[in-house]
Amino acid sequence: MAGHKAGDPLECYSIPLVLNKDADLDDEGNPVIGQDGNPRHRCGFKIGGGIDQDNTKCPYGYPDKGIYVTYIHEGGPAARCGLQVHDKILQVNGHDMTVVTHRKAVEYIQRKPQLNMLVYRKGVPNLGHQEQHQQTQFQSFTQQQDYPIAYQ
């Protein structure tokens, strides 16, 4: 079966998205407070998948046990940030979403009012291994004697 196995490296170009959730309001326009005492927020999308799910029974035919977007609420935060149905969520606020259970994925998504996500979208052109002068994610800097680097 083609696709990505959980835990294996995934070679793709990820799309960074920032989703700012909407406050969850009751019928009178008051913020809804969760059981933890914090205001609840709506993200405007639903997910499917997870390492505890059987992807062969998925009606969308996803090739692996990743976390996929299955629904986007029209006009909601997910639609406004550019998230699309069938996007594969690779990361949320620094958490790896390629090897999580469905429940853990929901917890990561619900945790904060802003989601910094990396997604994979089918159909994004494969740029291959062409030599390009691209900036790498991490850069090294030469430490000068007068300015010691502090790690926190």
Side-chain angles (χ1 to χ4, degrees):
M1 174 188 295
H4 172 256
K5 283 180 27 185
D8 286 349
L10 180 65
E11 182 177 332
C12 69
Y13 288 90
S14 56
I15 302 167
L17 297 173
V18 177
L19 185 151
N20 291 299
K21 297 179 185 178
D22 289 340
D24 192 2
L25 304 175
D26 64 17
D27 293 337
E28 297 174 2
N30 299 313
V32 175
I33 305 299
Q35 293 177 349
D36 60 0
N38 292 320
R40 289 185 25 194
H41 294 86
R42 294 188 173 268
C43 55
F45 70 97
K46 294 180 181 179
I47 60 168
I51 60 173
D52 57 335
Q53 306 294 309
D54 183 356
N55 63 296
T56 63
K57 295 181 180 178
C58 170
Y60 303 107
Y62 296 134
D64 56 52
K65 295 178 177 264
I67 301 297
Y68 289 88
V69 177
T70 58
Y71 170 81
I72 300 284
H73 181 74
E74 188 177 326
R80 291 192 305 266
C81 83
L83 196 63
Q84 296 180 11
V85 171
H86 307 306
D87 280 352
K88 181 176 183 176
I89 302 175
L90 304 174
Q91 193 177 85
V92 170
N93 293 339
H95 297 286
D96 181 2
M97 299 288 276
T98 63
V99 288
V100 295
T101 63
H102 185 85
R103 180 184 292 291
K104 186 56 86 173
V106 169
E107 287 176 19
Y108 289 151
I109 290 168
Q110 289 178 340
R111 196 172 281 175
K112 297 195 177 193
Q114 182 180 58
L115 303 178
N116 295 300
M117 299 188 294
L118 291 175
V119 301
Y120 166 76
R121 183 169 296 149
K122 188 175 182 178
V124 173
N126 180 3
L127 301 178
H129 294 285
Q130 302 170 354
E131 280 195 37
Q132 297 178 358
H133 298 289
Q134 295 181 345
Q135 189 174 14
T136 59
Q137 180 180 359
F138 299 102
Q139 296 179 339
S140 61
F141 295 95
T142 305
Q143 181 178 352
Q144 296 178 358
Q145 292 179 358
D146 297 333
Y147 302 101
I149 296 175
Y151 296 97
Q152 298 179 352

